[in-house]
Amino acid sequence: MRDPRYDILFEPMKIGPVTAKNRFYQVPHCNGGGYRDPSAAAAMRGSKAEGGWGVIFTEQTEMHHTSEITPFIELRLWEDKDIPMLRKMSDKMKEHGALSGIQLAYSGVNGPNLYTKEVPMAVSAQPIRTFTNDPVQARALDKTDIKNLRRWFVNAAKRSQNAGFDLICLYGAHGFGIFQHFLSRATNHRTDEYGGSLENRARFVNEVIADMRDAVGDTMGITLRVSLDETIGDLGFSNAEVRDFVEMNRDLPDLWDLAQGTWEDCSGPSRFKDEGAQEQLVRGIHELTDKPIVGVGRFTSPDVMVKMIKSGTLDFIGCARPSIADPFLPKKIDEGRIEDIRECIGCNICVTGDMTMSISRCTQNPTFMEEWRKGWHPERMNTKGPSSNALVIGAGPAGLEATRALAERGYDVALAEAGTVLGGRVARERHLPGLSAWGRVADYREYQISQKSNVESYFDSELDAESILEFGFENVCIATGAKWRRDGVSRQHVVPFPTDAAMPLLTPDDLMDGASPSGHVVIFDDDHYYMGGVMA
Ligand code: SF4
């Protein structure tokens, strides 16, 4: 049964003409699927619908072919032909009563148009700013272009309606999205009625929302996503100016979707950002508007969520990563199963997947983006095969997950660990600076395993091949992990480094075992993830 303290999270909430069944709001987030793997993306959103979210959004959807962000893989709504693919998405989102939302983006100065080869159009003539380094120049929108752009947004809104969506999010955050480019002095150098004063810079978004209300506003909610601070001081759209903007336009969208900074700022890893890290930037904005607010902050604790609502900071609990790590987060809170929540650890492996234009993946939820192709479900395992038992060797993240999954399927599982604790590398790395949240990988699985009567764990159990065979298990899983190399071979160096034999050479494993270097230290990092920085 649900703890009554969390009842407030399950109140229905209006967003313009539509009503969300609760306050759990999956904000738009990328997933590497997009137009290339729409069935995979649709199934992923469907698992969130089943998990109880009140609002579920797509990722960024390019609304016109004159602005696209190749090589990144997002969604496209360029023409009517794209509607069936998106209808598949909205159908999945709505299967369990959630509102379905589409995020419309016109990328302006962020869209290099490497696919369409169209000359990009931006608020002011500027070189394209994106993650790729191709030297592409955008020309400034003239008045006819602005009229066309308004018309294209209306067309996209009508297509979104035809595709079955309940909500439209206009993207003007993270440096992406033409609305931010108009609002920010950093990207708006115009001297006409669309540039200069804040009122002028806000003209375009006012026009588009008015146009869209005329077209679809009686049936669809229109939300506006802006960053709480562009994080480049007064040169950009600062938090102070965001507040002025909201106050001057208090009823502009049906809901304010408040993201933060650049995409990297908004999705800060747990090493640098705690849960609810944006609270100070959001606090007080509620008093400037009569419309509801959603904000993000890697929320996984229902108590923190309730605090955000009761303090009047937020109306909806916005989640991207927590909804990836546990698509059933709302349902687990609703059913009083807090201990079963698979909390996001803030490692940003999901972000890495998207940035490499591949299907995204999640450290905590191995089923993410495999719901369609592999038929994996975040909460239900396939049924057991004809054999009955399994030996798992190694209690690191992979061994623990294998044990949990096999036990869930009904096998009798023996887990053999050479050491004395569960968690493997995570049990060690959680003690490194800033990485304590990573311990959730072990904690979640340790708890789940502890609830199973068909799992036996054995510590101090280093096994060789002979003893493994002697035990006679029908299935054996080897999950003994990997160690850091000490010879320097990595991405750039394919042969071992020549080193002075007298020079102490330590790996991360040595340091975690307690070795401490003295004197001057050089850290050689050819891994390029977190370990070099954490060691420093
Ligand atoms: Fe992303 Fe890591 Fe959280 Fe999964 S656990 S959603 S990979 S940050």
Side-chain angles (χ1 to χ4, degrees), residues 298 321-322 324-325 343-351 361-365:
R298 204 164 40 79
R321 291 172 293 171
I324 293 172
E343 291 182 281
C344 167
I345 69 168
C347 61
N348 281 7
I349 282 294
C350 51
V351 177
R361 64 191 194 279
C362 172
T363 305
Q364 276 285 56
N365 174 13

Side-chain angles (χ1 to χ4, degrees), residues 110-413:
N110 293 110
N113 292 352
L114 299 177
Y115 177 92
T116 61
K117 316 291 191 296
E118 295 275 351
V119 176
M121 290 184 283
V123 176
S124 299
Q126 277 184 329
I128 291 295
R129 301 160 48 166
T130 182
F131 301 109
T132 52
N133 290 317
D134 304 65
V136 180
Q137 176 77 26
R139 71 171 174 82
L141 291 154
D142 64 22
K143 294 288 175 55
T144 306
D145 297 325
I146 290 177
K147 270 195 198 127
N148 285 337
L149 189 48
R150 286 174 57 181
R151 186 166 48 80
W152 298 338
F153 267 108
V154 169
N155 290 344
K158 289 179 182 163
R159 287 187 177 120
S160 302
Q161 190 176 41
N162 285 341
F165 290 99
D166 305 301
L167 296 166
I168 290 175
C169 169
L170 297 177
Y171 194 22
H174 304 143
F176 288 93
I178 199 82
F179 302 102
Q180 176 175 343
H181 304 155
F182 268 102
L183 287 164
S184 167
R185 278 185 289 250
T187 41
N188 184 342
H189 309 151
R190 300 179 75 98
T191 53
D192 60 7
E193 69 269 33
Y194 290 97
S197 68
L198 179 56
E199 194 182 358
N200 279 358
R201 283 180 277 134
R203 188 177 308 280
F204 179 72
V205 66
N206 272 278
E207 288 175 343
V208 169
I209 291 182
D211 295 343
M212 285 173 63
R213 271 204 211 296
D214 284 347
V216 299
D218 52 342
T219 55
M220 300 182 78
I222 299 168
T223 78
L224 177 62
R225 189 161 220 212
V226 291
S227 283
L228 283 159
D229 194 320
E230 200 178 346
T231 64
I232 52 172
D234 289 343
L235 181 66
F237 200 38
S238 67
N239 188 248
E241 204 168 36
V242 169
R243 285 167 193 265
D244 292 343
F245 168 65
V246 173
E247 194 169 17
M248 284 164 62
N249 301 276
R250 48 190 309 135
D251 294 333
L252 181 61
D254 293 318
L255 171 141
W256 296 96
D257 179 345
L258 301 176
Q260 166 57 3
T262 59
W263 201 48
E264 300 91 315
D265 291 322
C266 201
S267 305
S270 56
R271 274 177 69 195
F272 305 112
K273 283 200 165 187
D274 290 332
E275 185 170 0
Q278 275 124 237
E279 187 179 356
Q280 289 308 319
L281 289 169
V282 190
R283 195 172 271 177
I285 292 184
H286 212 286
E287 288 146 35
L288 309 176
T289 175
D290 307 316
K291 300 294 181 174
I293 292 177
V294 63
V296 290
R298 204 164 40 79
F299 297 118
T300 58
S301 153
D303 293 302
V304 174
M305 296 175 192
V306 168
K307 189 178 124 215
M308 290 289 157
I309 306 290
K310 287 199 167 161
S311 64
T313 309
L314 300 175
D315 299 292
F316 284 93
I317 301 302
C319 295
R321 291 172 293 171
S323 74
I324 293 172
D326 196 340
F328 277 60
L329 183 116
K331 202 163 199 176
K332 289 175 182 174
I333 297 172
D334 192 25
E335 294 174 351
R337 295 166 50 217
I338 307 299
E339 321 73 46
D340 289 334
I341 295 174
R342 204 167 37 227
E343 291 182 281
C344 167
I345 69 168
C347 61
N348 281 7
I349 282 294
C350 51
V351 177
T352 304
D354 186 58
M355 297 298 282
T356 49
M357 301 99 189
S358 49
I359 280 282
S360 213
R361 64 191 194 279
C362 172
T363 305
Q364 276 285 56
N365 174 13
T367 69
F368 178 58
M369 292 308 287
E370 302 291 359
E371 298 90 345
W372 177 70
R373 193 164 292 282
K374 294 202 179 114
W376 289 356
H377 188 279
E379 296 297 311
R380 283 193 300 277
M381 297 301 300
N382 299 339
T383 49
K384 193 170 81 58
S387 58
S388 60
N389 59 44
L391 170 65
V392 178
I393 303 159
L400 288 177
E401 177 62 16
T403 302
R404 186 197 72 82
L406 288 165
E408 192 70 37
R409 291 179 66 181
Y411 292 91
D412 291 326
V413 190

